[in-house]
Amino acid sequence: MDISSSTIEPLTEHLGPRRPWYRQPLRIWPYTLSSLAWFVAAYLAMVTAWTAAGLAITTWLEPSSLGSREVDLNRWFERQRSESLDPLAHVGSGPSDTVVVIVTMAVLLVAFPLVWRRWHGWAFLVGALALEGAVYASSNYLVGRPRPPVEQMEEIVTDSFPSGHVAAAVAFYLGLVIVVFWHTASRVARALAAVGGVLVPLVVATSRLYLGVHYLTDLVAGALLGLTSVIVAMAIARRGLAEQLARSPEPAPPHTTRLDLTDR
């Protein structure tokens, strides 16, 4: 059957230029050069805040009765150690080990674009983890809080405040919960993600106390660091995405115009 050019042209215009499927996820990146400036500003502000908090804890809280109770908690966990619980404590810290997070992010680097045809979720997680890691490293060095006065079951070269494991657990697993919420309205999927996002950081925090490598205030500071990193990275991603769309000379695919695909 002969198809006239008048039929083809409207069809081509409707479908738009053909693009290989593997180029679709690269259409819009949710961060821009100005996003880097926002990350630097957030880093400086957060390092100042967490360093001030850490110095306040070591200067005023540790010599107080609250500081003594915090040490008592570490000693209580030390007394609970046993041959059956010790391996579980090491396993409990595993989900936020640097190697585990890096390998998982490498898998997601492939999985997210294949499943959702965009980089938004992966870029958001990278931003949150990078901010968390940078603030942790700087504040940890500046505060220099010694480890608790109990036997440490893990050799660590860094100092105690804040907890890097807990910060990474909150930033990564809470970030994954948010990505799931962006892509599905399924109550089951959201519930499973939320349970994991809460349970994993709690398990990591408990294991760090059991292993004797952190005070309770280190864990709280780490959790707040991870949470703040997620909030800041999400705000910067939204801002960067809006900048990209404003500069785009042509309409963007619907799945790249927002972070939350269920918000329509």
Side-chain angles (χ1 to χ4, degrees):
M1 179 175 65
D2 182 33
I3 302 178
S4 65
S5 59
S6 61
T7 303
I8 295 176
E9 288 177 0
L11 181 61
T12 304
E13 182 180 354
H14 173 72
L15 294 176
R18 291 184 178 180
R19 298 174 184 271
W21 67 267
Y22 54 81
R23 292 186 60 189
Q24 292 297 328
L26 303 177
R27 183 71 177 274
I28 291 182
W29 182 257
Y31 293 133
T32 64
L33 287 178
S34 66
S35 299
L36 179 60
W38 283 104
F39 272 115
V40 171
Y43 160 78
L44 294 174
M46 291 170 65
V47 168
T48 301
W50 263 261
T51 300
L55 293 176
I57 288 172
T58 56
T59 302
W60 294 307
L61 186 143
E62 281 190 356
S64 70
S65 59
L66 290 177
S68 299
R69 292 179 182 178
E70 193 172 35
V71 174
D72 290 341
L73 179 62
N74 286 106
R75 289 175 177 158
W76 182 86
F77 271 95
E78 185 180 35
R79 293 193 297 270
Q80 310 312 309
R81 293 174 183 173
S82 67
E83 292 184 359
S84 58
L85 292 178
D86 291 355
L88 295 177
H90 287 287
V91 172
S93 291
S96 60
D97 282 346
T98 301
V99 174
V100 173
V101 173
I102 290 176
V103 170
T104 306
M105 285 298 294
V107 173
L108 296 180
L109 173 61
V110 178
F112 280 2
L114 284 176
V115 175
W116 293 314
R117 299 290 191 267
R118 62 191 206 147
W119 293 115
H120 296 41
W122 191 83
F124 155 68
L125 288 175
V126 168
L129 288 170
L131 181 60
E132 172 272 316
V135 174
Y136 159 74
S138 299
S139 59
N140 180 267
Y141 173 78
L142 293 171
V143 174
R145 187 184 194 184
R147 298 283 173 177
V150 295
E151 179 188 0
Q152 277 92 56
M153 299 178 63
E154 189 176 283
E155 293 185 7
I156 307 176
V157 297
T158 56
D159 293 311
S160 189
F161 181 93
S163 171
H165 271 73
V166 172
V170 172
F172 185 49
Y173 293 99
L174 177 59
L176 283 176
V177 172
I178 292 173
V179 172
V180 170
F181 271 57
W182 284 345
H183 291 88
T184 179
S186 168
R187 292 183 179 180
V188 175
R190 287 186 167 191
L192 290 174
V195 169
V198 172
L199 186 60
V200 171
L202 286 176
V203 170
V204 171
T206 304
S207 72
R208 305 311 282 171
L209 276 176
Y210 183 95
L211 295 172
V213 295
H214 283 297
Y215 294 96
L216 178 61
T217 46
D218 300 334
L219 306 178
V220 173
L224 291 175
L225 173 55
L227 176 62
T228 304
S229 299
V230 166
I231 294 173
V232 171
M234 183 162 52
I236 295 176
R238 290 190 188 280
R239 183 184 182 90
L241 183 59
E243 291 178 6
Q244 291 277 57
L245 295 174
R247 293 201 305 260
S248 179
E250 58 184 22
H255 67 286
T256 64
T257 59
R258 59 179 64 87
L259 292 175
D260 188 351
L261 293 184
T262 64
D263 181 22
R264 295 184 180 180

